[in-house]
Amino acid sequence: MPDWEDVRRIVGTLPDVSESTTRGNLFWRVHGRGFVWERPLGRKDLAELGDRAPDGPILGARTESLAAKEALIASAPETYFTISHFDGYSAVLVRLDVIPEDELRELIVEAWLAKAPPRAAREYAAAHGLE
């Protein structure tokens, strides 16, 4: 299953991306706008999730919309989830140790497209047959 180096490799194929850390966690931006990040669960998150709290690494990823977020969670609740901290926020949490690498790639590209400047997103989508 994928790990942070796989995330870094996939993100590295996208244009205009910068990597940094926020509170010691990995964070990737396109033109200054965050689209994927490392999101460990805190005490409040663990209490909220209870027995459903995953043990492995968690990736946060922007989604195109709240509807897209809900669709991901409904389609694969063993992979995608959310917490109350993200209520009303178009981002989903992903169990990195469960998601297949091809699905991770698609998720990261979609997150990039959601946050990239419109022209850059259109050009990337056209060049990669994503229209």
Side-chain angles (χ1 to χ4, degrees):
M1 285 293 122
D3 60 20
W4 293 115
E5 287 307 311
D6 294 312
V7 172
R8 183 175 277 126
R9 182 179 41 75
I10 294 166
V11 168
T13 67
L14 300 167
D16 304 319
V17 171
S18 63
E19 178 181 319
S20 63
T21 57
T22 300
R23 298 182 184 139
N25 299 309
L26 295 168
F27 201 91
W28 290 274
R29 292 176 173 85
V30 54
H31 284 264
R33 301 174 75 190
F35 67 102
V36 289
W37 59 93
E38 182 179 8
R39 178 49 165 88
L41 298 175
R43 284 189 306 254
K44 181 181 175 192
D45 306 326
L46 293 169
E48 177 182 329
L49 292 169
D51 292 341
R52 297 177 298 122
D55 293 330
I58 306 297
L59 175 76
R62 291 301 301 240
T63 58
E64 177 185 359
S65 65
L66 289 172
K69 168 186 176 174
E70 295 304 324
L72 284 171
I73 294 168
S75 72
E78 68 284 353
T79 303
Y80 302 101
F81 68 103
T82 192
I83 53 176
S84 61
H85 179 77
F86 290 102
D87 286 352
Y89 187 65
S90 58
V92 68
L93 298 175
V94 184
R95 292 186 57 196
L96 191 58
D97 60 346
V98 173
I99 189 170
E101 190 169 336
D102 60 332
E103 196 171 323
L104 175 64
R105 176 178 302 284
E106 182 179 339
L107 177 77
I108 290 172
V109 169
E110 290 295 323
W112 184 90
L113 289 168
K115 299 310 287 182
R119 181 177 176 192
R122 282 192 307 274
E123 288 173 358
Y124 183 89
H128 293 86
L130 302 175
E131 297 179 300

